[in-house]
Amino acid sequence: MSAELEAYRKALERAHEHSLAWLASLAGRRIGPTASADELVPQFGGALQEGPTDPAAVVDELVALSAPGLMAMPSGRFFGWVIGGTLPAALAADWLVSAWDQNAVLRFATPAAAAAEEAAGAWVLDLLGLPAASGVGFTTDATMANFVGLACGRRAVLERLGHDVRTAGLGGAPRITVLVGQERHASVDLALRYLGLGQPTAVAADSQGRILPGALAQALEGIDGPAIVCLQAGNLHSGAFDPMREAIAVAHRHGAWVHVDGAFGLWAAASPLLRGRLDGLETADSWATDAHKTLNVPYDCGIAMVAQPEVLRSEFGFSTSYFIQDDDGPGDPFERVPELSRRARGVPVWAALRSLGRAGTIALVEGLAANARALAGGLARLEGVEVLNDVVFTQVCLAFGSDERTRQVTRRLIEDGTVWMSGSSWQGRDILRISVSNWSTDDADIAASIDAVARALAAVPG
Ligand SMILES: *Cc1c(COP(=O)(O)O)cnc(C)c1O
C-alpha cells in the first residue's frame, strides 16, 4: 500500500470509529454541550505549530477537543429550532461525496453526480406534487433556495416590463414590491436584501400566522408596479400553512410572481393525510425547501424549484470558454444554483429517498407530525401547561403561565439535559417551542421528554 493510501486508511478508520461511537452515545447522553465556544477556542487555537501532525492523530485530537462542545442534534430528544437528524443512507452517501470529491458543476465532468441530482430532483418534484418539468437546484440551505426562487421572480416580473435585470441591473428598473406574510421567516428578508429588493411589505396573518388572502388582495390593489408574493408552507412557530390556492390565485390575478418558502413544511405535500393543507401548492411559480430539515440528510442541503426551468437557467447560467457545457440537454447543475464550485450535495438526497422509498418518505413526514401531536397531547395534560398553537404539523408552542415562569422552566429544562427545546416569543408571549424533525424520535423519547418538562415545571413554582 502506498504511503498516501495508508494515511487515508488510518485517518478514515479513526473517523469511522469515532463516528459510530458518537452515534452510539446519543441514546444516553446529555443533549446540550458542557463547554462554551469561548472556553474551547484557546484549546483549539494558539499559535499554529511549525511541523506536520499525523492525519490519524489529527482526527483523534479533533474528537477529544470537540467532545465537550458538541450538541446532540442528531438525538431523538433534540427538538430545538427546526433541525433534523441524519438517515443512515444519507450520512453514508455524504461521506462518499467527500471521498469522491466531485466538483458538481458540469454534466460532462461529473456525470454520476449530475445524474444522481437530476434523479433526486425529479423524485422530490413527484413526491411534493409539483410540476415535473420544473428546474431543480441543490443549494446550501433554504435561505439560498429562497434566494434562487426570488431571483427568478425578480427577473421574470421585470422582463415582462421590458427590463433585463441581467444586463441592466436594478438601476432604472421599476420598483418591485415584495409582499410577505407578517410571520415569514427572517431568512426571506435576508434573501431579498441580497437581491437588492430591500424590506418587504408585511401582510396581516391570522392567529396561526397564515397570511390573510383578503389582506393580500387589498395590498396588491394598491400597487401598480411589478410584484412578488412570498408565501409560507410551515410557520416556524405554529407549523401552519398559508392558504395556497386562494393566495396564489389572488397574486396571479395581479400578475405577481409567487414563491413559497417551505423550508420544512413543503414536505407535508408528500403525505396524503396532510396534502390537503397545501391544496393549490403546485400553482405557484417557485418553491424552496430544505433536505437537511424534514428529509433528514446532513447539512448543507436546500432545494430550489422553479416551474419554468428556462427562467432558472437564464438567471443563473452563463457560458465561458473553458467549460464544456451541456448546451443541448437539460443544462448543467451550476445553471440552477448561485455558486459554481460545490460538493455534490444532491447525492445524499438521492440516497435518502432510495432508502425510504415513497412509503418511507410518507411515513417519515407523518411520523414527525404524529410525534408532535403526541408531545402536545402529553404535555397538555400537565398542570400549568398551555399549548398555544393548533398542532397541524411538526411544531408545538407552549407557555407555562407568565412569561417569567415560561423562561424559568425553559432554563431548567435545558439544564436538566434530557431534551432540548428552544425558547422563543410568539404573538407577544414568551414560549417554549418544540420542533419534531428527527426521524429517530420514538415513543421512549416522547415519554422521557414529557417527564423532563414535568420535572422542570415542578422545580419552578407557578
Ligand atoms: C429554517 C427555515 C428557513 C431557513 O432555512 P436554512 O436552511 O436555515 O437557511 C427558512 N424558512 C423557514 C420557514 C425555516 O423554517
Side-chain angles (χ1 to χ4, degrees):
M1 195 182 286
S2 74
E4 288 86 353
L5 198 54
E6 185 60 10
Y8 277 124
R9 195 184 58 75
K10 284 188 178 154
L12 288 173
E13 275 176 6
R14 299 306 296 140
H16 182 209
E17 206 173 294
H18 287 303
S19 298
L20 292 175
W22 161 251
L23 293 171
S25 78
L26 292 173
R29 75 181 294 127
R30 174 193 164 77
I31 305 293
T34 53
S36 69
D38 284 345
E39 287 162 354
L40 292 173
V41 165
Q43 299 181 39
F44 276 89
L48 181 62
Q49 88 283 355
E50 203 49 47
T53 307
D54 171 68
V58 171
V59 173
D60 287 339
E61 185 188 357
L62 175 63
V63 170
L65 288 172
S66 300
L70 292 176
M71 172 80 92
M73 285 184 172
S75 162
R77 286 171 285 109
F78 183 87
F79 303 106
W81 300 284
V82 186
I83 287 184
T86 299
L87 292 162
L91 175 55
D94 199 65
W95 286 2
L96 285 171
V97 166
S98 292
W100 288 337
D101 199 23
Q102 304 288 287
N103 189 346
V105 177
L106 300 170
R107 293 183 100 224
F108 173 81
T110 54
E117 291 194 344
E118 283 173 31
W123 288 345
V124 170
L125 292 172
D126 180 40
L127 284 163
L128 301 182
L130 300 179
S134 304
V136 182
F138 288 93
T139 59
T140 50
D141 64 352
T143 303
M144 290 317 287
N146 281 329
F147 171 86
V148 169
L150 294 165
C152 290
R154 182 182 68 168
R155 175 167 174 74
V157 298
L158 290 179
E159 192 156 54
R160 277 183 228 141
L161 299 171
H163 184 94
D164 182 356
V165 72
R166 278 177 46 133
T167 51
L170 284 175
R175 186 179 154 69
I176 300 173
T177 305
V178 183
L179 296 166
V180 296
Q182 174 181 300
E183 294 197 16
R184 81 283 182 188
H185 193 273
S187 68
V188 169
D189 296 40
L190 197 58
L192 293 170
R193 199 191 300 167
Y194 299 159
L195 288 162
L197 295 177
Q199 270 285 116
T201 304
V203 176
D206 68 12
S207 65
Q208 299 300 311
R210 290 172 296 220
I211 202 168
L212 292 167
L216 178 62
Q218 208 171 9
L220 282 160
E221 253 142 51
I223 298 166
D224 61 0
I228 295 174
V229 172
C230 182
L231 301 176
Q232 181 169 254
N235 178 293
L236 162 76
H237 286 112
S238 67
F241 306 95
D242 283 348
M244 293 295 159
R245 188 174 296 283
E246 202 182 344
I248 294 168
V250 163
H252 279 167
R253 261 200 300 282
H254 286 80
W257 176 280
V258 183
H259 173 75
V260 179
D261 171 16
F264 67 95
L266 211 64
W267 292 90
S271 150
L273 275 180
L274 299 164
R275 171 87 200 177
R277 295 192 181 273
L278 284 168
D279 174 55
L281 177 71
E282 69 285 357
T283 62
D285 301 295
S286 58
W287 307 265
T289 193
D290 266 321
H292 59 216
K293 289 181 177 176
T294 309
L295 189 61
N296 281 251
V297 309
Y299 294 92
D300 48 30
C301 192
I303 308 175
M305 294 159 283
V306 180
Q308 295 168 264
E310 64 285 359
V311 174
L312 177 62
R313 202 170 167 188
S314 76
E315 181 60 17
F316 289 95
F318 63 92
S319 35
T320 184
S321 59
Y322 71 97
F323 278 11
I324 300 171
Q325 286 183 235
D326 187 61
D327 291 327
D328 307 318
D332 284 305
F334 84 87
E335 295 178 294
R336 299 187 284 267
V337 292
E339 70 268 68
L340 207 49
S341 291
R342 66 171 176 89
R343 66 195 275 101
R345 61 170 69 92
V347 169
V349 175
W350 183 91
L353 294 174
R354 179 57 101 198
S355 78
L356 291 169
R358 181 180 299 278
T361 307
I362 294 169
L364 165 66
V365 173
E366 293 180 353
L368 300 177
N371 281 333
R373 286 194 303 275
L375 274 169
L379 291 167
R381 279 192 288 276
L382 302 177
E383 175 90 29
V385 174
E386 288 172 80
V387 176
L388 300 176
N389 64 313
D390 297 340
V391 181
V392 294
F393 195 45
T394 55
Q395 312 295 98
V396 184
C397 290
L398 306 168
F400 312 110
S402 69
D403 282 358
E404 178 55 29
R405 184 165 193 240
T406 299
R407 285 197 302 270
Q408 283 185 22
V409 172
T410 301
R411 213 172 304 127
R412 277 283 175 164
L413 193 63
I414 298 297
E415 278 164 18
D416 175 83
T418 308
V419 297
W420 185 284
M421 298 168 178
S422 305
S424 183
S425 66
W426 186 50
Q427 304 199 336
R429 292 187 73 175
D430 283 344
I431 61 162
L432 177 65
R433 195 191 58 187
I434 296 172
S435 174
V436 184
S437 306
N438 190 308
W439 70 283
S440 72
T441 299
D442 60 18
D443 291 349
D445 291 323
I446 300 289
S449 302
I450 294 170
D451 286 349
V453 175
R455 276 197 302 280
L457 274 168
V460 181

